[in-house]
Amino acid sequence: MKYKRVAVKIGSNVLTRKDGTVDITRLSALVDQVAELRKKEIEVILISSGAVASGKSELKVTRKMDAVSSRQLYSAVGQAKLINRYYELFREYGIVCGQVLTTKENFSTRYHYLNQKNCMSVMLEAGVIPIVNENDTISITELMFTDNDELSGLIATMMDTDALIILSNIDGIYNGHPDNPEATVIRQIDSATRNLDEYITTSKSSFGRGGMQTKCNIARKVAKEGIEVIIANGKRDGILSDLLLGKKDVVCTRFIPSEKSVSGVKKWIAHSDSFAKGAVYVNNGAVEALTGERVSSLLFVGITRITGEFKKNDIVNLFDEKGEHIGVGQASVSNEQAAELIGKHNAKPFIHYDYLCINS
């Protein structure tokens, strides 16, 4: 496959040593590889962790702080330190990089979503490498991304990349615990692959907020939208060049992308369940219609109840009668108007198929 544009997520455990200091050697090696990709006319968007860990190594804080305050402090200092490292390293190749700090709220409306897309599109057109991270200095706990894996999935789909590379400190998803010498890396995962929960450890990384379960969930969702996802070891020398420039039999886990075309609006909606303003419960008939092979919109006759307050075009979550999440969509009317139409026939769809994403 010829890659034209890729998103690369670099985890905290790739960029930091055990003592929390930035691993300049590893960072420099990754920049070398990105520069090589650029020579091959591959556009690269970096989603880089490491700011909080970098800030911790710079400060000696004596007073006790809560989790939010400490994260804000460390990221404010660490982000400046990290972006300066990137800037100096890329400058050696005559490449300009630019910082993009974002928050979860910036993805919650279509307007803000497209504004971010335009910003990064302009950067790429100008030959600038976007380096994206969550703005931890102003993010609050309930509005934070699960981790940068979630953010990287949003960026990859938003920017229509050919691939998302998630670099961690292990080679991929194993068919057992990574510490077990008999466990091997699962090389390929597609839509037919069975549930992987029994293989995935729930432990989180030393410096990051996420674990392999999050990576797997994000990877499946992004692959469903037609983007190849690769989970690989960022501490392996030359890993990006090997993965993207044709070296065969690189140890990693590849999520095979769906061949089905997905619109830009549907890509945004598919990642918007955590921004939902309300919940809509549907009967079994509606569930069968929505999950069947034929294209179907959500009609009011299939709705049993509605909770929460939302306006027209807000995102809502969909649940079956047992309370299990089945999808997400964009409401065509407000909650007040919807409440009056519950169970009614001959009304326009509550969610048109073009603005509806059902879980696989």
Side-chain angles (χ1 to χ4, degrees):
M1 177 181 180
K2 168 62 177 173
Y3 299 96
K4 295 181 179 178
R5 176 182 293 178
V6 298
V8 178
K9 185 264 179 176
I10 307 175
S12 295
N13 277 358
V14 175
L15 290 183
T16 51
R17 298 188 181 94
K18 291 182 179 180
D19 62 358
T21 58
V22 176
D23 187 342
I24 301 300
T25 303
R26 182 59 51 198
L27 182 61
S28 179
L30 289 167
V31 168
D32 292 343
Q33 293 170 69
V34 172
E36 184 181 5
L37 298 178
R38 283 286 300 271
K39 286 183 180 179
K40 302 294 184 181
E41 299 184 343
I42 300 175
E43 293 181 335
V44 180
I45 303 166
L46 291 178
I47 300 90
S48 179
S49 301
V52 172
S54 182
K56 278 184 179 179
S57 68
E58 199 70 23
L59 296 172
K60 298 294 184 286
V61 179
T62 55
R63 71 181 185 89
K64 189 175 182 180
M65 293 187 295
D66 60 71
V68 173
S69 296
S70 61
R71 189 172 60 247
Q72 289 173 330
L73 173 63
Y74 294 137
S75 64
V77 174
Q79 195 64 250
K81 180 179 177 182
L82 190 62
I83 197 65
N84 275 319
R85 296 285 193 190
Y86 274 118
Y87 185 85
E88 294 298 331
L89 289 168
F90 276 120
R91 189 166 67 170
E92 294 179 12
Y93 289 97
I95 297 172
V96 178
C97 66
Q99 187 176 49
V100 179
L101 293 178
T102 188
T103 65
K104 199 167 188 174
E105 286 182 292
N106 290 335
F107 290 88
S108 63
T109 70
R110 185 73 177 153
Y111 172 79
H112 288 99
Y113 180 88
L114 292 176
N115 189 45
Q116 288 185 104
K117 180 175 183 177
N118 180 67
C119 169
M120 280 184 265
S121 296
V122 169
M123 293 174 74
L124 291 171
E125 288 170 8
V128 177
I129 294 179
I131 300 179
V132 189
N133 198 2
E134 181 173 11
N135 192 352
D136 284 317
T137 59
I138 61 172
S139 294
I140 55 177
T141 303
E142 59 268 27
L143 293 176
M144 290 179 65
F145 295 104
T146 306
D147 51 41
N148 270 353
D149 296 317
E150 181 184 5
L151 174 57
S152 70
L154 282 162
I155 296 296
T157 53
M158 181 177 74
M159 298 307 296
D160 299 317
T161 64
D162 298 308
L164 166 62
I165 317 298
I166 298 177
L167 297 181
S168 184
N169 58 347
I170 59 174
D171 290 330
I173 296 176
Y174 286 76
N175 60 1
H177 196 283
D179 293 337
N180 184 343
E182 296 183 0
T184 58
V185 173
I186 302 172
R187 295 299 190 94
Q188 186 170 298
I189 294 172
D190 57 26
S191 58
T193 304
R194 64 190 179 123
N195 194 306
L196 298 169
D197 289 352
E198 63 181 283
Y199 297 138
I200 298 172
T201 175
T202 56
S203 61
K204 297 183 178 181
S205 62
S206 303
F207 299 108
R209 294 200 302 269
M212 197 53 70
Q213 181 71 63
T214 303
K215 289 176 176 58
C216 186
N217 291 340
I218 294 298
R220 278 189 180 277
K221 182 179 285 189
V222 173
K224 182 183 176 183
E225 292 156 20
I227 297 172
E228 181 183 17
V229 183
I230 302 172
I231 297 177
N233 192 335
K235 289 186 176 291
R236 281 186 176 269
D237 293 339
I239 187 65
L240 286 178
S241 301
D242 290 347
L243 288 171
L244 299 174
L245 297 180
K247 183 175 180 179
K248 295 182 179 179
D249 201 35
V250 181
V251 179
C252 64
T253 298
R254 292 179 185 266
F255 289 76
I256 305 304
S258 168
E259 295 182 1
K260 185 170 63 175
S261 177
V262 180
S263 71
V265 172
K266 274 185 174 283
K267 286 180 179 179
W268 167 61
I269 290 173
H271 292 265
S272 297
D273 52 322
S274 59
F275 313 133
K277 299 291 181 65
V280 178
Y281 294 81
V282 301
N283 58 32
N284 290 333
V287 172
E288 290 180 10
L290 295 174
T291 57
E293 293 184 3
R294 294 183 61 186
V295 170
S296 179
S297 300
L298 176 58
L299 306 178
F300 283 100
V301 68
I303 298 175
T304 57
R305 66 187 175 100
I306 291 173
T307 62
E309 296 182 3
F310 53 86
K311 299 176 183 177
K312 179 181 178 180
N313 295 330
D314 277 347
I315 298 296
V316 295
N317 277 317
L318 306 181
F319 298 90
D320 64 17
E321 292 179 330
K322 296 178 181 178
E324 294 185 9
H325 187 261
I326 62 168
V328 62
Q330 191 172 26
S332 63
V333 296
S334 68
N335 63 290
E336 292 97 339
Q337 293 171 297
E340 296 175 0
L341 294 169
I342 288 178
K344 297 286 181 66
H345 293 268
N346 303 320
K348 290 183 178 180
F350 173 60
I351 301 177
H352 188 275
Y353 172 77
D354 290 342
Y355 304 95
L356 176 68
C357 287
I358 300 299
N359 301 339
S360 56

